């Protein structure tokens, strides 16, 4: 089956589940319809009118809790109440819970599925919710569901049977808020064998809880008389009451046993007074009355949750006598038909448990064999979690591994989503992880997706070493599959660790993936998304654009909306870097998908807002940028992110803070991002964040502190080049050049960065990275001016200004106005009157006028090198002597003098010395 499921395991496929012919809602194919229908009631069931008042009272309570051990008829009673509520035109959903529901996304999917099947109207809001299920966070799903319920005029009931199957975490995540926030028209009916924890005492104190316990569920004497309907005398009825204590299942079993042979009524006195003994005795008597072939077949059928004739033939063999089963009169009360599927049944839980114990005692080898066959039955029908549980019950670790590996190993994430993958990961024993590298890789993937990147990396490396770089697995296992799984996990770690793939890695990736990804559009979408992101991070925008467009088509066709959002973000960043206007369009397209399918999921907006803020910031639209950045950093650690998101959020927020609060505020922002990265185990941001520290220290003229960062950054970059393990992203390249140039130009060391800036400027222009070309090119032009190369400086600046005019990317001139204002003044005043410079000259004048009105946080504050020059000036030295004394060129000395004049607002050397004396410098 070609499923296309998302990261939460909730999506459509070729075999989608539809609620009814009149209901167009389409649910994921892995949802088991039998979990949303009560068992058919036995024909001899009594109505228990005495408990009808409790059902009436349930309409005024948020929760009705039936809490009692097994066999007290909780499900049977709720089934009766359900029929009455339906007759009264209420909406009522039914859900049998099991261990597989211990995942918030799975549980919520089943709750919505059950309510839909129970009559919840198909409104636009419900349709939108169902379509968004694969992509929404549980909290958002819950909010949308409660809004739909509140807007429904009818009373809505939801039965949760076998509630004890849920663990405390999922109760806290789903059930507790569902109860706490429930509208007045929503009512839960819960059946549980043990004590439940969802704030029952508080609910009781608020009058919102109705609790029904064993004392109320026990049959009264009149009800016991009705059960046996004249088969027993008054004395025998009293004896039955004493022996069974009104336990419903004991009465049911006892009645069936007597019905088979009325003469058995006289044997009641021989029974023990212990309830367990009664059940054991009656079970033995009832099962013992089955024909031997039926008894044997039922023992084997007990390994299945539900079974049809086809299922039994598949698991037990072709020679089964199906007719003997369905026509066995003593079995009728305990063979419970599936409400929605013809000729499909399940055994009464008490009888099922008895038969399984019987099978384990009589034929343990056969029981293991049946579990193995049931494993493959469920695996073939794409019921992966039940298949794994059957394999676990067989005790065969190799079988469990084979099921998971045959389902795709790590690729289960693509076919069944992250929710199902997490559930599988939690079922894996340490022994399985140690012996099966593909399963260890699956666990590593889950750890990475949970934000535990460091733990994922450790497990990945250990698995790589144990498998000799993914070359060796257990005998009989496809080594190519292990290689592909290793590659998928490694690529995921690269992205989540904010590192870029090398050329060698990408070549190896595409070679190993080969044609496999073409088997499904979802897999193709995943592969091409990774390739698009990798090439984009390396600055190969044209190649990245092609991959991203193809991936967008795959995801759109499969309605994988979270993938569509990510692709619009990738395409938006590509357009932003290239200075193309459609960048905002892609970000807004991503926002539109969020509003349509993830209206309550704020985590998706956390990915879009930093990119929109960055785009507006680059165009000097600071008010809009601040609005998008509001509270982003404080919440970014709640969602999955990658280099682009971290870089845009960190640098934009820190730059805005630098303007508002100064350098220490900016450095605090960088520190917060560094701490979040360390908490997640993300190592790929180290150089980026170190460069950000240097950049803001240099812009604040804190040159002593900046010099240490300048030297350390050079060492970090050198170490990275030597390691050759990772490629450098264009964002890392840009901020490294920006930071080094900001320091060197202020330190009067333009020559030290001249060549690297020239190479960077040329590289960014060739790769069509206009954003970086403008930023680095502007500083390169300033370096050329300092080095007394005005013609080259003016030619470069003219081209930079032309690109600024076309894109609106002018922020670098505001950030570095202390360095670039002089450059613009010289360009406007002294550039040749060339036709090619005309438009740039006009734009430069307008930009210069804008900069001249800016307050400067560094106005009047001299750098260390400027103080050195000023001291030489006070000594009366000329430029040539100052240059010799300070080991500078004359042009650099002139540059520093002009800067001193500007900061002191003077026009001569004499005035500068006088101003220095006045300031006591």
């Amino acid at each position: 089956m070609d499923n296309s499921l998302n990261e939460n395991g909730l999506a459509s496929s070729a075999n989608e589940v539809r609620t009814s012919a009149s209901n167009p809602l389409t649910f994921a194919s892995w949802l088991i319809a039998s979990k949303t229908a009560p068992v058919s009631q036995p024909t001899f069931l009594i109505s228990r009118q005495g408990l009808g008042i409790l059902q009436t009272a349930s309409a005024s309570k948020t929760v009705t809790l039936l809490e009692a051990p097994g066999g007290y008829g909780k499900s049977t009673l709720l089934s009766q109440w359900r029929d009455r509520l339906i007759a009264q035109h209420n909406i009522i959903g039914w859900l049998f819970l099991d261990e597989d529901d211990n995942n918030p996304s799975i549980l919520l999917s089943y709750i919505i599925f059950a309510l839909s099947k129970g009559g919840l109207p198909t409104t636009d809001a419900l349709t939108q919710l169902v379509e968004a299920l694969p992509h929404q966070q549980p909290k958002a799903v819950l909010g949308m569901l409660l809004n739909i319920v509140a807007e429904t005029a009818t009373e809505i009931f939801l039965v949760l049977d076998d509630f004890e199957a849920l663990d405390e975490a999922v109760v806290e995540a789903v059930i507790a808020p569902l109860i706490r926030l429930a509208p007045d028209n929503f009512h839960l009916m819960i059946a549980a064998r043990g004590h439940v924890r969802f704030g029952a005492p508080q609910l009781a104190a608020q009058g919102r809880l109705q609790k029904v316990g064993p004392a109320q569920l026990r049959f009264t004497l009149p009800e016991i008389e009705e059960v046996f309907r004249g088969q027993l005398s008054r004395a025998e009825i009293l004896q039955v009451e004493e022996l069974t204590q009104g336990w419903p299942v004991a009465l049911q079993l006892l009645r069936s046993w007597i019905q088979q042979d009325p003469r058995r009524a006289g044997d009641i006195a021989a029974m023990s007074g212990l309830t367990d003994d009664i059940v054991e005795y009656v079970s033995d008597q009832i099962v013992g009355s089955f024909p031997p072939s039926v008894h044997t077949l039922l023992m084997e059928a007990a390994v299945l949750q539900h079974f049809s004739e086809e299922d039994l033939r598949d698991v037990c063999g072709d020679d089964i006598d199906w007719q003997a089963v369905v026509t066995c009169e003593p079995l009728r009360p305990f063979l419970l038909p599936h409400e929605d599927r013809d000729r499909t049944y399940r055994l009464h839980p008490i009888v099922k448990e008895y038969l399984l114990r019987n099978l384990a005692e009589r034929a343990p080898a056969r029981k293991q064999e049946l579990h193995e066959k049931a494993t493959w039955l469920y695996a073939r029908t794409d019921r992966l979690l039940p298949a794994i549980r059957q394999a676990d019950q067989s005790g065969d670790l190799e079988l469990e591994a084979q099921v998971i590996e045959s389902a795709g190993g790590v690729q289960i994430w693509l076919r069944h989503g992250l929710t199902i993958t997490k559930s599988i990961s939690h079922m894996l024993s340490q022994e399985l992880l140690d012996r099966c590298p593909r399963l260890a890789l699956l666990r590593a993937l889950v750890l990475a997706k949970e934000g535990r990147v460091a733990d994922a990396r450790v497990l990945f490396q250990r698995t790589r070493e144990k498998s000799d770089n993914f070359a060796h697995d257990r005998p009989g296992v496809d080594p190519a599959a292990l290689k592909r799984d290793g590659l998928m996990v490694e690529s995921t770690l690269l992205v989540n660790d904010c590192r870029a793939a090398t050329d060698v890695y990408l070549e190896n990736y595409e070679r190993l993936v080969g044609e496999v990804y073409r088997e499904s559009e979802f897999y193709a979408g995943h592969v091409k998304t990774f390739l698009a992101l990798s090439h984009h991070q390396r600055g190969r925008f044209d190649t990245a654009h092609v991959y991203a467009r193809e991936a967008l088509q795959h995801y759109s066709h499969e309605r994988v909306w979270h993938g569509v959002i990510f692709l619009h973000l990738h395409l938006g960043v590509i357009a932003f870097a290239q200075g193309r206007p459609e960048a905002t369009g892609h970000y807004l397209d991503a926002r539109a998908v969020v509003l349509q399918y993830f209206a309550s999921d704020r985590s998706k907006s956390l990915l879009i807002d930093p990119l929109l803020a960055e785009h507006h910031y680059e165009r000097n639209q600071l008010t809009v940028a601040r609005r998008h950045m509001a509270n982003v950093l404080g919440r970014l650690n709640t969602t999955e992110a990658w280099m682009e998101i971290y870089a845009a959020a960190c640098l934009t927020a820190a730059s805005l803070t630098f303007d508002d609060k100064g350098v220490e505020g900016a450095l605090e922002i960088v520190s917060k991002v560094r701490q979040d990265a360390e908490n997640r185990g993300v190592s790929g941001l180290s150089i980026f964040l170190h460069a950000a520290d240097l950049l803001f220290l240099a812009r604040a003229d804190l040159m002593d502190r900046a010099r240490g960062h300048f030297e350390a950054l050079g060492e970090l970059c050198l170490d990275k080049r030597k390691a050759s393990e990772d490629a450098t992203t264009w964002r890392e390249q840009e901020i490294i050049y920006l930071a080094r140039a900001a320091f060197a130009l202020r330190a009067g060391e333009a020559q030290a960065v001249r060549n690297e800036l020239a190479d960077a400027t040329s590289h960014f222009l060739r790769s069509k990275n206009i954003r970086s070309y403008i930023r680095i090119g502007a500083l390169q032009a300033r370096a050329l001016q300092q080095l007394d190369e005005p013609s080259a400086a003016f030619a470069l600046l003219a081209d930079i200004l032309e690109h600024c005019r076309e894109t609106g990317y002018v922020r670098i001139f505001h950030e570095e106005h202390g360095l670039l204002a002089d450059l613009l003044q010289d360009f406007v005043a002294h550039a040749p009157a060339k036709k090619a410079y005309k438009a740039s000259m006009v734009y430069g004048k307008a930009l210069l006028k804008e900069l001249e009105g800016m307050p400067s946080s560094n106005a009047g504050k001299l750098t260390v090198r400027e103080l050195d020059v000023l001291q030489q000036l006070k000594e009366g030295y000329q430029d040539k002597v100052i240059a010799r004394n300070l080991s500078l060129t004359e042009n650099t000395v002139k540059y520093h003098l002009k800067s001193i004049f500007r900061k002191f607002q003077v026009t001569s050397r004499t005035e500068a010395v006088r101003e220095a004396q006045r300031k006591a410098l």
Side-chain angles (χ1 to χ4, degrees):
M1 178 162 49
D2 181 15
N3 283 338
S4 300
L5 293 95
N6 76 354
E7 62 180 21
N8 282 328
L10 318 173
S12 57
S13 74
N15 295 318
E16 294 164 325
V17 178
R18 295 183 180 271
T19 52
S20 70
S22 61
N23 191 340
L25 294 179
T26 301
F27 289 88
S29 61
W30 53 264
L31 291 168
I32 302 172
S34 61
K35 284 165 59 72
T36 61
V39 297
S40 298
Q41 301 176 26
T43 55
F44 63 81
L45 192 68
I46 66 171
S47 62
R48 306 206 70 184
Q49 293 293 340
L51 296 181
I53 189 171
L54 299 177
Q55 180 251 305
T56 302
S58 67
S60 64
K61 305 293 182 182
T62 302
V63 178
T64 295
L65 173 62
L66 279 63
E67 189 176 73
Y72 270 86
K74 300 181 292 297
S75 301
T76 301
L77 180 61
L78 287 174
S79 182
Q80 288 182 338
W81 289 2
R82 172 182 177 269
D83 291 344
R84 293 172 191 165
L85 289 167
I86 290 174
Q88 295 165 6
H89 307 293
N90 295 292
I91 296 168
I92 180 163
W94 186 288
L95 179 58
F96 280 108
L97 299 167
D98 55 43
E99 291 179 336
D100 293 340
D101 298 319
N102 281 311
N103 178 293
S105 295
I106 291 178
L107 177 57
L108 281 166
S109 298
Y110 269 117
I111 287 174
I112 296 167
F113 188 33
L115 289 173
S116 178
K117 287 173 67 65
L120 188 64
T122 305
T123 61
D124 290 343
L126 182 59
T127 302
Q128 179 180 334
L129 174 57
V130 172
E131 290 179 351
L133 271 176
H135 327 292
Q136 287 282 21
Q137 295 296 321
K139 185 176 180 181
V141 171
L142 191 60
M144 295 172 72
L145 173 61
L146 289 173
N147 288 336
I148 292 170
V149 168
E151 293 170 2
T152 304
T154 312
E155 297 295 306
I156 299 175
F157 296 80
L158 174 63
V159 175
L160 298 179
D161 202 358
D162 292 339
F163 191 83
E164 66 280 354
L166 297 183
D167 61 30
E168 190 171 344
V170 80
V171 170
E172 182 65 26
V174 177
I175 303 302
L178 182 64
I179 293 171
R180 186 174 63 254
L181 304 173
D184 291 340
N185 65 326
F186 183 73
H187 315 280
L188 271 179
M189 293 179 165
I190 294 174
R193 292 193 178 192
H195 179 64
V196 298
R197 299 178 180 178
F198 51 69
Q202 183 179 3
L203 281 175
Q206 296 169 347
R208 299 171 62 202
L209 172 68
Q210 174 178 232
K211 194 170 182 179
V212 182
Q216 295 155 293
L217 293 170
R218 288 192 181 98
F219 276 53
T220 63
L221 187 61
E223 288 176 328
I224 294 174
E225 289 179 328
E226 186 180 351
V227 167
F228 289 96
R229 297 175 183 173
Q231 292 175 301
L232 301 178
S233 66
R234 176 68 176 178
E236 289 169 334
I237 290 292
L238 291 172
Q239 191 172 15
V240 167
E241 182 189 29
E242 181 181 355
L243 292 172
T244 65
Q245 296 295 300
W247 190 18
V249 70
L251 292 167
Q252 181 182 345
L253 291 168
L254 183 57
R255 180 186 186 281
S256 298
W257 177 63
I258 293 175
Q259 269 193 328
Q260 293 169 24
D261 186 352
R263 292 172 297 179
R264 293 173 174 170
D267 294 336
I268 291 177
M271 293 182 180
S272 164
L274 297 174
T275 304
D276 287 346
D277 290 344
I278 293 174
V279 175
E280 188 70 28
Y281 179 75
V282 176
S283 295
D284 187 53
Q285 292 299 313
I286 291 175
V287 173
S289 68
F290 299 161
S293 61
V294 173
H295 183 185
T296 301
L297 181 56
L298 288 176
M299 282 195 302
E300 298 188 348
V303 302
L304 299 171
Q305 184 177 11
H306 297 85
F307 55 84
S308 63
E309 180 180 4
E310 182 182 356
D311 293 337
L312 290 187
R313 292 191 185 281
D314 202 323
V315 174
C316 304
D318 290 330
D319 58 346
I320 66 164
D321 189 347
W322 176 255
Q323 284 304 115
V325 172
V326 295
T327 59
C328 181
E329 193 63 30
L331 177 61
R332 284 187 179 276
F334 314 104
L335 190 63
L336 310 175
H338 193 302
E339 187 178 77
D340 288 348
R341 293 169 59 189
D342 291 339
R343 299 179 69 78
T344 299
Y345 304 88
R346 74 183 183 99
L347 289 168
H348 189 287
I350 300 295
V351 174
K352 175 185 173 72
E353 184 178 346
Y354 175 84
L355 289 167
L356 277 175
R357 188 166 62 246
N358 218 211
L359 178 62
E361 292 170 353
R362 295 187 183 188
R366 176 62 173 163
K367 182 175 183 292
Q368 180 177 350
E369 179 187 357
L370 292 168
H371 280 303
E372 292 173 358
K373 291 185 176 181
T375 296
W376 292 117
L377 168 66
Y378 288 135
R380 284 195 303 273
T381 52
D382 215 31
R383 289 173 284 178
L384 192 51
L385 291 178
I388 296 170
R389 294 197 185 282
Q390 286 285 345
D392 181 62
Q393 290 171 345
S394 76
D396 187 342
L397 291 178
E398 182 60 29
L399 176 62
E400 192 172 347
Q402 288 176 7
V403 169
I404 299 171
E405 290 171 345
S406 64
V410 167
Q411 293 176 33
I412 290 172
W413 168 47
L414 302 179
R415 292 185 55 80
H416 295 275
L418 188 59
T419 295
I420 299 297
T421 308
K422 284 183 178 180
S423 296
I424 294 170
S425 174
H426 295 155
M427 294 165 66
L428 299 177
S429 67
Q430 188 59 48
E431 186 177 356
L432 265 175
L433 294 174
D434 290 339
R435 69 188 288 182
C436 306
R438 292 186 68 193
L439 303 192
L441 288 172
L442 185 144
R443 170 69 61 81
L445 175 74
V446 170
L447 291 172
K449 289 294 180 179
E450 290 176 339
R452 299 167 57 186
V453 179
D455 293 338
R457 194 185 304 115
V458 168
L459 180 55
F460 176 81
Q461 292 296 348
R462 185 164 64 238
T463 306
R464 166 178 265 166
E465 292 169 5
K466 290 178 65 175
S467 63
D468 191 18
N469 197 26
F470 308 120
H472 300 296
D473 202 337
R474 309 179 318 284
V477 178
D478 180 12
L482 175 59
K483 278 280 189 185
R484 285 193 295 269
D485 281 6
L487 204 60
M488 179 172 287
V489 175
E490 188 172 42
S491 63
T492 301
L493 283 171
L494 278 172
V495 173
N496 289 357
D497 202 19
C498 295
R499 292 183 290 142
T502 64
D503 291 338
V504 173
Y505 183 88
L506 289 175
E507 181 181 345
N508 192 41
Y509 181 88
E510 294 191 69
R511 178 177 58 80
L512 286 176
V513 167
E515 296 296 315
V516 176
Y517 73 88
R518 302 183 190 278
E519 296 175 1
S520 76
E521 288 211 72
F522 188 90
Y523 191 17
H526 165 75
V527 169
K528 291 178 181 178
T529 297
F530 173 70
L531 292 172
L533 178 60
S534 297
H535 284 288
H536 145 232
Q537 289 181 331
R538 299 289 303 280
R540 299 164 183 164
F541 298 125
D542 291 343
T543 302
H545 190 271
V546 172
Y547 278 126
R549 279 293 178 189
E550 292 177 358
L552 184 60
Q553 290 180 352
H554 294 308
Y555 280 152
S556 298
H557 183 265
E558 292 295 329
R559 298 187 300 172
V560 184
W561 302 121
H562 77 283
V564 170
I565 290 171
F566 293 154
L567 264 303
H568 277 305
L569 296 185
H570 296 331
L571 286 166
V573 174
I574 292 171
F576 167 69
Q578 292 187 314
R580 292 187 282 110
E582 56 264 40
T584 303
H586 282 298
Y587 296 153
L588 294 180
D589 284 344
R591 176 85 78 196
V593 177
V594 169
L595 292 175
Q596 183 173 359
Y597 297 103
F598 310 95
S600 302
D601 186 356
R602 300 181 69 183
S603 66
K604 296 294 188 295
S605 293
L606 290 178
L607 303 177
I608 301 171
D609 282 331
L611 299 177
L612 278 168
E614 178 185 50
H615 186 262
H616 288 291
Y617 175 83
E618 196 64 32
R619 295 170 62 85
N620 205 39
Q621 298 164 344
L622 303 189
T623 301
V624 182
R626 286 187 175 92
R627 186 172 70 244
H628 283 296
M629 281 306 302
N631 300 319
V632 165
L633 283 180
R635 295 181 287 123
L636 194 58
N637 60 358
T638 63
T639 187
E640 185 179 3
W642 56 96
M643 171 60 84
E644 272 58 47
I645 307 302
Y646 274 116
C650 176
L651 199 56
T652 304
S655 297
L656 290 169
T657 303
F658 185 87
D659 280 358
D660 297 337
K661 300 179 181 180
V663 64
E664 298 303 332
L667 294 176
E668 184 179 352
I669 294 291
V670 177
S671 178
K672 287 180 180 178
V673 175
R674 181 180 287 108
Q675 186 61 54
D676 179 44
E678 290 175 358
N679 291 340
R680 290 186 175 212
V682 175
S683 64
L685 286 172
S686 176
I687 289 179
F688 181 92
L689 297 176
H690 201 94
D693 284 335
L694 171 60
L695 179 64
F696 292 114
L697 287 170
R699 285 179 180 171
D701 281 334
L702 299 175
M703 301 303 285
D704 288 340
R705 289 171 62 184
R707 184 167 294 280
H709 284 74
F710 181 83
E711 294 170 354
L713 180 61
E715 293 175 1
L716 284 173
C717 295
L718 180 61
D719 290 343
K720 184 169 184 175
R721 285 194 294 271
K722 288 180 178 178
S724 299
E725 294 177 354
D726 303 319
T728 303
T729 66
W730 68 264
R731 286 188 180 274
E732 286 177 294
Q733 293 172 354
E734 179 190 90
I735 197 169
I736 289 169
Y737 291 129
L738 276 178
R740 286 176 58 80
F743 174 83
L745 293 176
R746 285 174 170 84
E749 300 172 7
Q751 188 63 47
V753 293
R754 182 189 189 285
N755 292 336
E756 67 181 62
L757 289 179
D759 291 343
T761 302
S762 177
H763 165 74
F764 287 131
L765 186 60
R766 283 197 310 272
S767 63
K768 303 178 184 178
N769 187 341
I770 302 304
R771 135 76 182 238
S772 298
Y773 172 66
I774 290 173
R775 285 181 152 262
I776 306 304
L779 296 182
Q780 167 67 355
R782 181 59 167 135
L784 291 171
Q785 182 197 31
Q786 283 192 20
L787 296 171
D788 200 22
E789 299 180 38
S791 296
F794 292 162
L796 177 56
L797 181 61
D799 194 54
I800 294 295
L801 291 173
E802 180 63 21
H803 282 94
C804 289
R805 187 177 65 83
E806 293 173 354
T807 63
Y809 293 176
V810 297
R811 189 57 198 170
I812 185 64
F813 288 91
H814 292 261
E815 292 173 344
E816 298 288 5
H817 64 276
L819 293 174
L820 299 180
D822 284 348
L823 174 64
L824 280 172
Q825 287 175 344
D826 280 355
F827 177 73
V828 169
H830 304 119
K834 295 182 179 180
K835 183 177 181 181
Y837 288 1
K838 185 176 181 180
S840 298
M841 188 77 72
V842 173
Y843 190 80
K845 288 179 180 178
L847 183 56
L848 183 60
K849 186 176 181 180
E850 184 177 332
L851 294 180
E852 287 174 345
M854 284 184 58
S856 173
S857 60
N858 297 320
K861 183 177 180 180
L862 303 185
T863 66
V864 173
R865 184 58 78 184
E866 287 169 350
L867 288 171
D868 292 339
V869 171
L870 181 61
Q871 186 60 38
Q872 296 284 312
L873 194 64
K874 289 165 64 177
E875 298 291 334
Y877 296 127
Q878 296 302 309
D879 293 353
K880 184 180 296 186
V881 178
I882 295 174
R884 184 173 65 248
N885 290 344
L886 298 179
S887 300
L888 301 174
T889 66
E890 280 192 66
N891 286 326
T892 300
V893 171
K894 290 177 181 178
Y895 159 73
H896 286 308
L897 286 174
K898 289 176 64 177
S899 180
I900 292 170
F901 291 174
R902 186 186 73 253
K903 290 179 179 180
F904 282 3
Q905 296 183 350
V906 298
T907 59
S908 70
R909 301 160 73 95
T910 301
E911 290 177 343
V913 171
R914 186 180 299 119
E915 184 67 14
Q917 291 171 340
R918 188 183 69 80
K919 293 178 178 289
L921 295 177

